[in-house]
Amino acid sequence: MLLFAAGILGGLTGSIAGLASVATYPALLLVGLPPVTANVTNTVALVFNGIGSIWGSRPELHGQGEWLKRIMPFAALGGIAGAVLLLSTPSEGFERIVPFLLGFAALAILIPVRPKREARVASHQRHTTLLILEGAAIFAICIYGGYFGAAAGVLLLALLLRAGGATLARANAGKNVVLGVANSVAAVIFTVAAPVQWPAVVALGMGCLLGSRLGPVVVRHAPAGPLRVAIGVAGLALAVKLGWDAYR
């Protein structure tokens, strides 16, 4: 029951702001799983978060198909790299840099995005360069998503809002798909090579599926300004918490 409730909360916060692991990972530790086992079990359970959030984001995903086709290979490769890193390297490096990245992303969400002026002519070379830079940034974020993922969605949401000029609802929908892809490929690796606790996956995953289905509905109907402030403030609070844990 605890994991199911944590899954609902994680699914809701994950599909709105990319903060699912903030609720789900501590719940797995609380029921007695060791850190690495909790991490991989969390990643597998969050596959259901991806399913529910994409399901709920279908209206906002309309028209994003071509962009997603170009970006998803970067997300998949990032998720694979993150999973391999988790299974083969210590976590200290990530723990020390993530608070700064998360704080920067939270500020980027809080700062209003100015409407972009339409360029008269967009060269093919410039378009290709921007796509490569965006893909590289998404690849890096998805490495972290496959490795641990707490607030990876905040990083990605900040990127999509600043780079593409999308509305919060459309950027959130794109974020749900990208993170869903990265998380799913990492989960496949963990299923084969890591100590996944399947009873916990079932309880947590069912809660995630329910909560994540409702999250995009909240984003669709809530005022964008206050919701962005709430996401940004939550991201800053988590950055302070992670920084305290890493450097104390």
Side-chain angles (χ1 to χ4, degrees):
M1 292 302 296
L2 171 66
L3 291 178
F4 180 72
I8 294 175
L9 178 60
L12 188 62
T13 57
S15 58
I16 294 174
L19 293 168
S21 292
V22 176
T24 56
Y25 179 70
L28 290 167
L29 295 177
L30 189 61
V31 298
L33 272 63
V36 173
T37 302
N39 197 354
V40 298
T41 300
N42 183 59
T43 298
V44 176
L46 288 183
V47 170
F48 292 93
N49 185 79
I51 294 171
S53 61
I54 294 170
W55 181 17
S57 298
R58 286 177 298 170
E60 289 76 23
L61 289 172
H62 181 71
Q64 298 196 57
E66 289 301 317
W67 175 79
L68 288 170
K69 288 178 183 177
R70 294 193 298 267
I71 290 299
M72 281 195 290
F74 294 99
L77 290 174
I80 292 171
V84 171
L85 280 173
L86 176 65
L87 296 176
S88 59
T89 61
S91 61
E92 285 78 7
F94 272 101
E95 290 176 352
R96 289 182 174 274
I97 195 173
V98 164
F100 297 100
L101 294 175
L102 180 54
F104 177 79
L107 290 174
I109 291 175
L110 286 170
I111 298 172
V113 180
R114 294 182 180 180
K116 294 185 177 181
R117 297 179 180 179
E118 294 185 2
R120 294 182 180 180
V121 179
S123 69
H124 176 72
Q125 182 179 3
R126 176 177 173 79
H127 176 76
T128 303
T129 301
L130 290 176
L131 177 62
I132 292 173
L133 291 174
E134 185 179 40
I138 287 175
F139 172 71
I141 293 171
C142 289
I143 289 176
Y144 172 60
Y147 185 89
F148 178 54
V154 177
L155 301 173
L156 187 55
L157 189 59
L159 172 67
L160 298 182
L161 286 171
R162 307 306 298 189
T167 64
L168 178 61
R170 285 181 65 82
N172 185 66
K175 175 263 295 178
N176 289 337
V177 174
V178 171
L179 285 187
V181 169
N183 195 80
S184 295
V185 296
V188 170
I189 295 174
F190 293 152
T191 298
V192 175
V196 177
Q197 293 295 310
W198 291 104
V201 167
V202 173
L204 195 62
M206 291 302 98
C208 284
L209 183 63
L210 177 59
S212 62
R213 176 61 181 86
L214 300 175
V217 178
V218 174
V219 176
R220 187 176 304 135
H221 296 289
L227 187 57
R228 284 181 65 159
V229 171
I231 295 171
V233 170
L236 284 175
L238 181 58
V240 172
K241 170 65 167 57
L242 292 177
W244 173 262
D245 291 341
Y247 287 95
R248 65 178 176 178

